[in-house]
Amino acid sequence: MGKTQKKFGKGRLDHYYRLAKEKGYRARAAFKILQINQKYGGFLEKSRVVIDLCAAPGSWCQVAASLCPVDSLIVGVDLAPIKPIPKVIAFQEDITSDKCRAQLRQHLKTWKADCVLHDGAPNVGTAWVQDAYTQSELVLQSLKLATEFLVPGGIFVTKVFRSKDYNNLMWVFNQLFSKVEATKPPASRNVSAEIFVVCRGFKAPKRIDPKFLDPKAVFEDLTDPTPNYEAKVFNPEKKKRKRDGYEEGNYTQFKTMSVLDFVKGNDPIAALGSMSEFKFEIPEVGATEEPVEREDTEQNEEPPSPEELHKELKIVKKLEETSTEVKELCKDLKVLGKKDFRLLLKWRLKCRVALGLDKDDEDTPEADQDPTANMTEEEKIEYELQGLQDKEAARRKRERRKKNEQRQKEITRMQLGMLNPVDIGIEAAQVGSDSLFSLKEVEKSGQLDTLARGRMNVIVTNEDAKKKDVDEIEIGENSDEDADRLEDELDVMYEQYQERRAENDANYRAKKSREEHPDSEWTGFEEHASESDGDDEDDGIKFDEDYQSSSDPESDDDDDEPKPKNRNLLTALENSDAKINGLSKTAHKFFGQTVFKDIDGLDSESDSDEAINKIVELRKLQDHHPKAEFDEENRASSGQDDRNSFEVVKEVKEPTKKSWSDDDSSDDEAEHEGRSAPNIDIITAEAMTLAHQLALKEKSKSDVIDESYNRYSMRDRDGLPQWFLDDEDRFSKAIRPVTAEAAAAIKAKLRALNARPIKKVEEAKARKKMKAARKLERLRKKSDIIIEDPNKSEKEKAESIQKLMRKASKKTTKPQVKVVVARGANRGIMGRPKGVKGRYKMVDGRMKKEMRALKRKANK
Ligand SMILES: C[S@@+](CC[C@H](N)C(=O)[O-])C[C@H]1O[C@@H](n2cnc3c(N)ncnc32)[C@H](O)[C@@H]1O
């Protein structure tokens, strides 16, 4: 098989490749040094001694041999053998070895080099095994040789790669040379990360700090001193293969640390991010791979003795907070989640208090570290005021959070039917004032009976009545402030992580928007109560608008402003004139829908809930005929209500069979327009299975309701962080059965959906149709005129119409535009080019190429 030539990237055999062949250079790299030499004043022409490090196959040596003065000494060295070059001494050696240095010395004798060239790159030669050094280390090694052999004022040319080490290298070059410039000769491919640094004016210091030439010192000095371990929680680093091997002296990925170091260290997050285990042992000297800076011991202070450490460890172990859970968590830090980290951080704070490193907020005598000691009277007052304000704000925030959590919990329970109103009152009273309301308030307002009798949506709280109790909650929480702060930071990071995900992941965005606009079913009045502008008088209890805004546990966190205090606990609304024909506004709106318009008697004042219940029942029976005449008997008004029955009323779709059908044509959509409930489309195999089961009467409604009460539906979500809930929603959910038929149905449905033309095509077709219709209309009008013309005979009329029709059916073709490339005879001419008829367009020959290049650039 013949050799195939690569056409792209580095493998492309380009202009310089051919030129090198032409000129007899061993590599196209020759042009790089030629161009550098030209740019920097032809230094090779003035060099009598040149050392070429990493010279194989030897093109730089060839250039040097051709440019340097006739009797110059040119020495080339490489790991790979270099075929002999006239006027060049070449030998095979590793430039990082002492042997190489010795050989160079041997060849140079007492001379010094005017110029040291280095074009080394690991893994490009043939000596793969020896090529252990990284490019930057190789550069530093070559610099080392250069500093040894260069004359004062000499030139060092080296190749470097743009990497994180680049700046460090440049810094070192600048210390040793008076002029340092980076350049990329045209012969160097743009796709290559290489650039060349030309260091002129070697300073030839008498003594060079070995650190300047020590790869460890040069490349590690400037590494980020404080890695952000916190960020690692939500921004895990992309795992890279350890191509460089293990860290020096650390041949394991499992890192341990003594709990004492964790507790005493001032960067617990770093420890949590980098360690694998916290050991309940005293720290050995040098045992931790990453030495921990301690807050408690000053740099020059004596380290604690082993006895002291034992004592401290004992205290930590005996601490009440050092639970089995904490111990287990310490065993494998790499598998912990945010909640576990938080627990460990809290535990650390407690340990610090126990070890006397921190003071417990509760018994900290403020005078101990009185920051106001050096303040003027005015400053003191301001300081105190500020402190009070901060405290008040924090208290309010905590208070609201707790309140909301409690409310949320109770409302969820009530919605699930787990509580009746009396329970709520009792529970709230037990919990304290930080709940929905206090029973005393209810009693005072005289609404206790009303409350106990009926079902309610929301109970309004009286904020003032609670204030005195809130202070109690505050106790013991100050010590958690640090943990709170960390928690907040993590929450912010989680939000940012979600934003980033939303930006990059279209599926995620779609899912979110589905969550925001769910195709929820209408489940009765209560769900919509909050939307009805506080008109939900069904229970005789006013819906507090404030409540609505504060019921979102997240909404209040940023908002420290106190809410308006119009929270009268209960407001009797029996006499409210908001009722319309005996129905609440919501109910009135509902029965105002077209499906009810033929049902007589709904307007009558005597129509009460029982009649409505009957409607519901009737509709259930009639299912297919919602607009059927309502029996006279059923219209009779009757006694008192059982409002709960509304909750199960669902909108009945007209043709029932269509609700399960896969046909979602536009006609169908039009049919559904104007209805209150959305056109529910079955898109998952689970839903399809359920639909089949319901349709085949394998399952009843009550079965479905029963199934919805499972261990997942009763989950307590209050107070849990969003990231946790998101995870739960993803992984901890009921697995619904799927039948093969349902899966096949969904598959077929999706196939049909995909087979449909896209919107644009449909639109284009519609436009075409519309144009044709207009044309036809115009023709019709014209032919009408012809027919009505009294001066024409019937034959003439027929002919004229036929002519019209022929003209209309004639296909019109767009005039073609001829593209003329402006080259050769056409270049630079004004006006129509010779021999071109009709419409034409002059184009630049390069345009196509350039457009492509621009596109490529934009895509990068
Ligand atoms: C890009 S080539 C040099 C091309 C050369 N300048 C020319 O014009 O022909 C890089 C060379 O660096 C050499 N090299 C890599 N590591 C080396 C080392 N430690 N000691 C000596 N040579 C090394 C490789 O063997 C390879 O031949």
Side-chain angles (χ1 to χ4, degrees), residues 806-820:
R806 239 180 285 133
K807 208 175 157 191
S809 56
K810 217 180 189 180
K811 269 194 179 170
T812 48
T813 45
K814 268 191 186 172
Q816 289 264 320
V817 180
K818 190 166 185 188
V819 178
V820 184

Side-chain angles (χ1 to χ4, degrees), residues 27 29 54-60 78-80 93-96 119-122 124-125 131 138 159:
C54 306
S59 70
W60 281 28
D78 198 290
L79 273 177
E93 199 52 73
D94 181 348
I95 65 156
T96 64
D119 187 26
V124 295
D131 266 357
L138 212 58
K159 171 158 82 183

